[in-house]
């Protein structure tokens, strides 16, 4: 099984928009990669941006200036499968290996949350992609337990006594569940695309 077939089987969830171009080279995407900030680049272009700066530090997105700590390549078409593509995918894998496991602040996690949750639900809805059974079971258990807590009358801050302020604990539980789902899904993506 070649790497493009295994990449398609691994479940790349997204492809760049048809009418969009790489913001670095201003050309059609060649080996498109999506950064954790949801912006798309050519694989070679974003690696070139990283090589231009200090290679011991993750590069910043040329559009929004957020640190890029995960690059997710889209599935390759037949015309993009060659030694050049394999070299670029290897560099992306190397980048993810170096910066994918780096500690991230709460602010970075909150900024990455929409990207990972949107990608996770897209992958859940596509019947051609499969998530590991352990991940699905863990996710369903977290969602079920948080739903039970939010819907139950037993709360840390009861709504009946505190009014709208009583919903703070419910929102906090939901935020923690979504942050945990994003972290687990991020580790799955990192495992698929070259991290430890």
């Amino acid at each position: 099984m070649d790497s493009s077939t295994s990449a398609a089987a691994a479940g790349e969830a997204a492809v760049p928009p048809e009418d969009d171009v790489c913001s670095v080279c201003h050309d059609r995407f060649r080996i498109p990669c999506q950064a954790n900030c949801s912006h798309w680049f050519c694989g070679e272009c974003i690696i070139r941006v990283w090589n231009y700066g200090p290679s011991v530090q993750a590069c910043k997105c040329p559009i929004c200036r957020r640190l890029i700590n995960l690059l997710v390549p889209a599935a390759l078409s037949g015309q993009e499968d060659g030694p050049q593509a394999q070299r670029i995918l290897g560099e992306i894998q190397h980048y993810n290996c170096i910066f994918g496991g780096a500690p991230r602040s709460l602010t970075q996690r909150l900024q990455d949350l929409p990207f990972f949750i949107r990608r996770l639900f897209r992958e859940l809805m596509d019947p051609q992609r499969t998530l590991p059974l352990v991940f699905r079971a863990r996710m369903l258990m977290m969602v079920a337990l948080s739903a039970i807590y939010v819907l139950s009358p037993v709360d840390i801050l009861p709504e009946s006594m505190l009014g709208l302020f009583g919903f703070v604990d419910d929102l906090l539980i939901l935020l923690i569940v979504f942050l945990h789902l994003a972290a687990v899904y991020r580790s799955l993506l990192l495992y698929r695309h070259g991290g430890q």
Side-chain angles (χ1 to χ4, degrees):
M1 181 183 267
D2 66 321
S3 64
S4 65
T5 311
S6 63
E12 279 65 38
V15 293
E18 288 288 323
D19 57 346
D20 201 5
V21 295
C22 174
S23 63
V24 176
C25 67
H26 302 290
D27 202 358
R28 289 184 328 132
F29 292 103
R30 294 178 313 277
I31 310 169
C33 289
Q34 190 175 27
N36 57 297
C37 59
S38 298
H39 292 119
W40 286 95
F41 304 99
C42 296
E44 188 172 12
C45 292
I46 198 63
I47 293 297
R48 196 176 313 130
V49 167
W50 172 51
N51 288 333
Y52 182 73
S55 60
V56 294
Q57 185 179 12
C59 67
K60 290 186 177 181
C61 173
I63 297 171
C64 67
R65 307 305 298 155
R66 282 183 42 205
L67 280 178
I68 297 175
N69 53 31
L70 182 65
L71 290 170
V72 182
L76 295 178
S77 65
Q79 62 187 352
E80 294 174 331
D81 194 22
Q84 174 78 1
Q86 296 308 317
R87 181 186 63 77
I88 292 168
L89 288 174
E91 290 180 18
I92 291 168
Q93 187 174 13
H94 177 68
Y95 183 91
N96 286 338
C97 225
I98 294 172
F99 302 112
R104 297 174 307 133
S105 67
L106 180 62
T107 306
Q108 179 76 30
R109 290 173 194 260
L110 289 172
Q111 288 175 338
D112 291 348
L113 186 63
F115 169 75
F116 289 118
I117 295 297
R118 185 173 44 246
R119 224 180 142 91
L120 171 64
F121 285 116
R122 195 172 330 146
E123 191 163 335
L124 281 172
M125 297 302 156
D126 191 348
Q128 294 181 342
R129 287 190 219 112
T130 58
L131 290 170
L133 183 63
V134 173
F135 178 79
R136 283 180 184 264
R138 188 176 180 181
M139 186 183 74
L140 289 173
M141 186 178 71
M142 286 188 313
V143 169
L145 289 175
S146 64
I148 289 170
Y149 179 81
V150 168
L151 297 174
S152 76
V154 179
D155 278 339
I156 296 170
L157 301 174
E159 289 89 10
S160 61
M161 291 174 53
L162 299 172
L164 286 178
F165 186 71
F167 286 107
V168 170
D169 65 329
D170 295 338
L171 294 175
L172 188 62
I173 293 293
L174 290 175
L175 179 65
I176 291 169
V177 166
F178 281 127
L179 282 170
H180 184 70
L181 279 174
V184 172
Y185 184 62
R186 182 182 190 284
S187 66
L188 178 69
L189 282 176
L190 197 58
Y191 176 75
R192 284 181 184 167
H193 301 291
Q196 279 92 345

